[in-house]
Amino acid sequence: MNTVSTYREILNAVSESFSGSETPFLDACLLLAHSLGLSRESLLARLPEQAPPLPAGFYEAVRRRSEGESIAYILGKKEFFGREFIVDSRVLVPRPDTEILVVAALECGDLAERDHPGRLAVHDACTGSGAVAVSIAAERPGWTVSASDISEAALEVARANATKLLGKPLLLRVSNLLGAVQGTFGIITANPPYVPSHETDALLRQGWKEPRLALDGGIDGLSLIPELISQAYRLLEPGGFLLVETDSLQVPAVCAMFEKAGFVAIFVKRDLAGRDRVTGGRKPRA
Ligand code: GLN
């Protein structure tokens, strides 16, 4: 790679070192566009041109990506529900599949609000970067949104995202699941850690830099869910909704846990790939 290479040749060469990625050329484009301060579109328009000497930061970014670090961490940002969130290794990178949790919360919230116009309270547990909580608050400015996480470091990222994207702080609390959360809510959402421990071990060995705390859900991935569900039941007002993201294979077990805790009208929402992803249920009215 030198000054006689075109952008395309550089990107092709770099892509070869991203063998662990499903989208190596796209990854290379994103890193190069970022380090040149260009949009991806304007870089693509220049592919046949000779590239100038590239900044050292680009090769550093290439090294990090080839060691398995996510593009989102290297760029320090990730798009979620149409907004750009700040991310780093203090938090899980928001996944496109989690957007369905936001969609479900908006739908259920609109329904719940009919009972209590203008005073819907929403709480997002295990909030991490705050992607779900901030998206809900941005989409429905009239709702009162709060969020919690066991990690104070994650909440610093959530706080930065609330300030950046809402222009105001969210009410954030350090809490193991919902243990330290007070109040009553019309909607509770959660994307808790649900990856089985042995799979988490494998992902971290592959070079994932996400916090184990955000991924590891114990031996079968479901260790935290029953406690989360029973805590949520106590904090929901009658008729309130709980919405929990898990892996699709875990959904039947999660539905059974909702039922055991007393939830009714249990339903499942599918993600972008058509897999069951979010389990929802309602606390009975009386
Ligand atoms: N969906 C994430 C993954 O598959 C896991 C998210 C989580 O544990 N909450 O990597």
Side-chain angles (χ1 to χ4, degrees), residues 141-226:
W143 296 358
T144 305
V145 181
S146 58
S148 54
D149 201 284
I150 193 170
S151 159
E152 174 64 51
L155 289 179
E156 287 167 15
V157 180
R159 199 167 289 125
N161 279 316
T163 306
K164 175 181 177 216
L165 296 166
L166 301 172
K168 59 173 188 185
L170 274 184
L171 180 61
L172 297 171
R173 190 178 299 280
V174 179
S175 178
N176 182 3
L177 302 175
L178 292 160
V181 174
Q182 287 167 356
T184 48
F185 303 96
I187 308 273
I188 295 177
T189 53
N191 174 15
Y194 57 74
V195 179
S197 301
H198 68 277
E199 283 180 30
T200 308
D201 294 342
L203 294 170
L204 297 179
R205 269 199 307 274
Q206 279 168 33
W208 282 32
K209 297 274 190 286
E210 291 178 298
R212 172 180 285 278
L213 204 53
L215 292 166
D216 192 343
I219 193 157
D220 59 356
L222 289 173
S223 307
L224 302 170
I225 314 289

Side-chain angles (χ1 to χ4, degrees), residues 42-273:
S42 43
L43 174 60
L44 289 176
R46 287 181 201 190
L47 287 185
E49 295 175 19
Q50 299 293 316
L54 299 175
F58 172 61
Y59 295 104
E60 169 63 11
V62 168
R63 185 192 59 75
R64 287 170 66 182
R65 181 69 190 128
S66 62
E67 288 172 6
E69 196 167 346
S70 69
I71 293 286
Y73 280 171
I74 299 169
L75 303 184
K77 60 186 182 184
K78 175 74 181 179
E79 193 267 349
F80 180 82
F81 216 84
R83 296 178 183 82
E84 196 170 84
F85 285 80
I86 301 162
V87 292
D88 61 31
S89 56
R90 290 173 288 181
V91 295
L92 185 89
V93 176
R95 310 286 201 268
D97 287 333
T98 302
E99 292 181 342
I100 196 61
L101 182 59
V102 176
V103 172
L106 298 176
E107 286 173 4
C108 293
D110 289 341
L111 206 67
E113 214 187 6
R114 288 194 207 152
D115 296 346
H116 309 290
R119 58 164 208 87
L120 184 72
V122 181
H123 186 84
D124 181 44
C126 310
T127 200
S129 66
V132 170
V134 170
S135 299
I136 295 170
E139 295 292 322
R140 297 289 186 276
W143 296 358
T144 305
V145 181
S146 58
S148 54
D149 201 284
I150 193 170
S151 159
E152 174 64 51
L155 289 179
E156 287 167 15
V157 180
R159 199 167 289 125
N161 279 316
T163 306
K164 175 181 177 216
L165 296 166
L166 301 172
K168 59 173 188 185
L170 274 184
L171 180 61
L172 297 171
R173 190 178 299 280
V174 179
S175 178
N176 182 3
L177 302 175
L178 292 160
V181 174
Q182 287 167 356
T184 48
F185 303 96
I187 308 273
I188 295 177
T189 53
N191 174 15
Y194 57 74
V195 179
S197 301
H198 68 277
E199 283 180 30
T200 308
D201 294 342
L203 294 170
L204 297 179
R205 269 199 307 274
Q206 279 168 33
W208 282 32
K209 297 274 190 286
E210 291 178 298
R212 172 180 285 278
L213 204 53
L215 292 166
D216 192 343
I219 193 157
D220 59 356
L222 289 173
S223 307
L224 302 170
I225 314 289
E227 194 179 353
L228 172 70
I229 294 174
S230 61
Q231 290 173 340
Y233 191 88
R234 283 198 295 277
L235 295 175
L236 282 171
E237 52 196 41
F241 291 90
L242 172 63
L243 299 160
V244 178
E245 172 179 328
T246 60
D247 185 77
S248 60
L249 296 174
Q250 298 166 332
V251 164
V254 176
C255 285
M257 291 172 189
F258 267 62
E259 212 177 318
K260 193 167 169 216
F263 282 93
V264 293
I266 295 160
F267 58 89
V268 175
K269 291 269 182 194
R270 294 192 164 163
D271 64 19
L272 302 168

